[in-house]
Amino acid sequence: MIGRVVFVACMSVMVVLLFAPTTHAKNKGLAVAPARLEMTVQAGQSSEGSIMVGNYTDKPLTVNLFVQRFAAVDYTYDFDFSSFDGSWILFEQPRLTLNPKEEKKVKFSVNAPDNLASGGHYFALTASADMSGNGLGRIARVVSQLYLSVGGEYKQSGTIGNGSVPFLVYNDKILFTFDAKNTGNIHYTAFFYGHLDGLFYSQSDQGVNHILLPGTTRRVGGAVSAPNLPGLYTLTYGYSTDYSKDIVTKKATILYLPPWSIAALVLLLLAIKWVWQKKKSAKS
């Protein structure tokens, strides 16, 4: 899945930590939870949600809450934050003071405009505080990702391309990369995987889960275990999704030659040469 996001802005060194609010001993600094929040609304209707904000310093903190947009940068999938000028996502309490080791639940409302397009919209519910004097830098920001799905017609589709798979493999891992693109209008979770098949040989899928945001391309790298025996194999790679059983895949042919097989081939050739020379000498 898309992991936790930390966004920091300051004029000197800053430290920001995310947290799960039930593990107090592990928390430090300014924190928010959950790291990711999903909501579904209808255009023209309202909904409410909440996040937890915590102060894990030894001094009181004044915390400002505001909303940003976030997007994923193609290929690297780093997060890009931008300002949100709309007033239809609002915190009930945009400014609060937290005592040391205190955490507080803060509500927010989503008043979806009538003309809001169906599909996925992505926001960062941001908490900001001046950390001066806490030993953690100056200005810190932490975010809770809001995945907002607006009801209507969802288009869920994707493609893969630019696959890179070596033909000749010597190592015990077979590496591959490809570009996965979400061509729809809503995010989905994808299982990125690969598996190897050959004569009397078949692997189970080996991979990881990630989220794909609509209209974005993610460069995916993976690896599968090499088989025990040398030979020609077929690598199948791609992804399946949480919304459909349809699987987007490509195939590539692999020639697997582990070092021991090359050494064995050399010894075999030398043995054949020695036998041939012995027979030739005997005939002479």
Side-chain angles (χ1 to χ4, degrees):
M1 306 278 287
I2 294 178
R4 293 179 176 180
V5 178
V6 177
F7 178 76
V8 185
C10 70
M11 298 183 65
S12 62
V13 179
M14 294 161 294
V15 176
V16 180
L17 296 175
L18 294 177
F19 78 109
T22 56
T23 56
H24 299 260
K26 298 180 181 180
N27 298 330
K28 201 171 185 180
L30 174 65
V32 295
R36 175 182 156 195
L37 181 64
E38 296 228 21
M39 291 181 64
T40 299
V41 298
Q42 300 294 326
Q45 296 185 7
S46 299
S47 185
E48 289 187 347
S50 64
I51 61 173
M52 195 74 73
V53 184
N55 171 17
Y56 288 90
T57 72
D58 57 1
K59 295 183 179 180
L61 278 183
T62 298
V63 182
N64 295 302
L65 299 170
F66 56 96
V67 181
Q68 297 175 285
R69 291 188 182 274
F70 83 87
V73 178
D74 280 341
Y75 305 107
T76 64
Y77 246 65
D78 294 330
F79 291 110
D80 181 39
F81 295 86
S82 60
S83 61
F84 174 60
D85 299 327
S87 58
W88 51 275
I89 302 179
L90 297 172
F91 281 101
E92 182 180 78
Q93 189 178 0
R95 185 179 178 90
L96 65 152
T97 299
L98 295 176
N99 293 320
K101 306 302 185 288
E102 181 184 9
E103 59 185 32
K104 184 175 291 187
K105 183 177 180 181
V106 182
K107 294 182 180 180
F108 65 90
S109 60
V110 178
N111 301 296
D114 294 335
N115 60 350
L116 190 60
S118 61
H121 300 262
Y122 307 97
F123 302 93
L125 306 177
T126 307
S128 175
D130 186 343
M131 306 292 286
S132 300
N134 286 287
L136 295 173
R138 291 286 180 94
I139 304 299
R141 291 181 182 178
V142 291
V143 306
S144 176
Q145 297 174 347
L146 174 60
Y147 287 67
L148 185 64
S149 300
V150 179
E153 184 178 352
Y154 292 160
K155 180 184 178 183
Q156 298 172 314
S157 58
T159 61
I160 63 174
N162 298 323
S164 177
V165 182
F167 172 70
L168 190 59
V169 178
Y170 304 97
N171 301 320
D172 58 356
K173 292 289 185 181
I174 300 172
L175 306 179
F176 60 92
T177 58
F178 61 92
D179 294 339
K181 184 174 183 178
N182 181 340
T183 58
N185 67 352
I186 190 72
H187 60 277
Y188 52 74
T189 301
F191 176 63
F192 298 93
Y193 76 97
H195 70 255
L196 208 61
D197 294 295
L199 186 63
F200 309 116
Y201 181 84
S202 182
Q203 282 181 343
S204 58
D205 295 341
Q206 302 174 40
V208 295
N209 288 306
H210 291 300
I211 282 185
L212 278 181
L213 299 184
T216 63
T217 301
R218 183 169 193 149
R219 188 68 171 169
V220 179
V224 298
S225 300
N228 294 323
L229 298 176
L232 284 173
Y233 295 87
T234 299
L235 174 67
T236 302
Y237 62 94
Y239 69 89
S240 58
T241 70
D242 58 357
Y243 70 83
S244 172
K245 293 182 180 180
D246 294 336
I247 299 176
V248 185
T249 61
K250 283 195 172 184
K251 295 180 182 292
T253 300
I254 300 294
L255 176 58
Y256 178 55
L257 293 176
W260 67 262
S261 68
I262 298 175
L265 178 60
V266 171
L267 290 175
L268 177 62
L269 292 175
L270 290 174
I272 292 173
K273 181 181 178 181
W274 181 81
V275 171
W276 179 78
Q277 288 177 336
K278 291 287 289 183
K279 287 184 177 179
K280 185 177 179 182
S281 297
K283 289 181 179 180
S284 299

